[in-house]
Amino acid sequence: MLFELRQYRTRPGQRENWVRFFEAEIVPFQTSKGMGIIGSWIVEDDPDAFVWLRRFESEEDRVAKYKEVYESDHWKTNIAPHTAEMLIREQIKVTRLEPTPASATR
């Protein structure tokens, strides 16, 4: 099992719009493709920060799900253009995590 901690910066004043879009469009689409979305958070003292956590069974699973989601016509046409309007894509930070032996996430 592996996880991705995804840290985003929204464009100033766009976080509420981003959260609505993320929850209404991105989460349903990605989960329909089998991606495990654990949760999403806003940062209390940073009005432009957004964080979410995603789970994969293995590296092979991650590669397959990335392909199914990010290479799809739906993503390219209906989702990706809106993300560019709300996120500062150059500041996206993805940290890959592996649970420790005693972690409850195993």
Side-chain angles (χ1 to χ4, degrees):
M1 180 133 344
L2 63 94
F3 295 84
E4 286 182 342
L5 173 64
R6 303 182 66 89
Q7 299 173 74
Y8 292 0
R9 302 244 8 115
T10 59
R11 297 188 184 284
Q14 288 294 313
R15 188 170 72 182
E16 285 184 34
N17 293 331
W18 169 253
V19 169
R20 279 193 294 276
F21 183 73
F22 180 81
E23 292 180 345
E25 300 292 333
I26 294 174
V27 171
F29 178 67
Q30 288 193 5
T31 57
S32 78
K33 301 297 184 188
M35 284 195 174
I37 298 175
I38 305 303
S40 57
W41 300 265
I42 58 173
V43 177
E44 191 172 7
D45 61 352
D46 185 341
D48 300 324
F50 177 82
V51 178
W52 60 300
L53 188 64
R54 194 159 58 174
R55 180 188 72 237
F56 299 95
E57 295 302 317
S58 64
E59 175 60 14
E60 295 76 22
D61 180 50
R62 187 194 67 77
V63 169
K65 299 263 172 51
Y66 261 55
K67 182 175 180 158
E68 192 168 351
V69 167
Y70 297 118
E71 293 181 20
S72 71
D73 289 336
H74 181 75
W75 184 269
K76 291 176 183 177
T77 304
N78 300 313
I79 295 179
H82 296 292
T83 64
E85 296 168 1
M86 292 178 271
L87 297 179
I88 302 171
R89 296 189 52 80
E90 303 79 32
Q91 293 186 24
I92 292 173
K93 182 178 179 186
V94 179
T95 304
R96 292 179 48 151
L97 307 169
E98 292 184 31
T100 59
S103 175
T105 60
R106 278 197 154 294

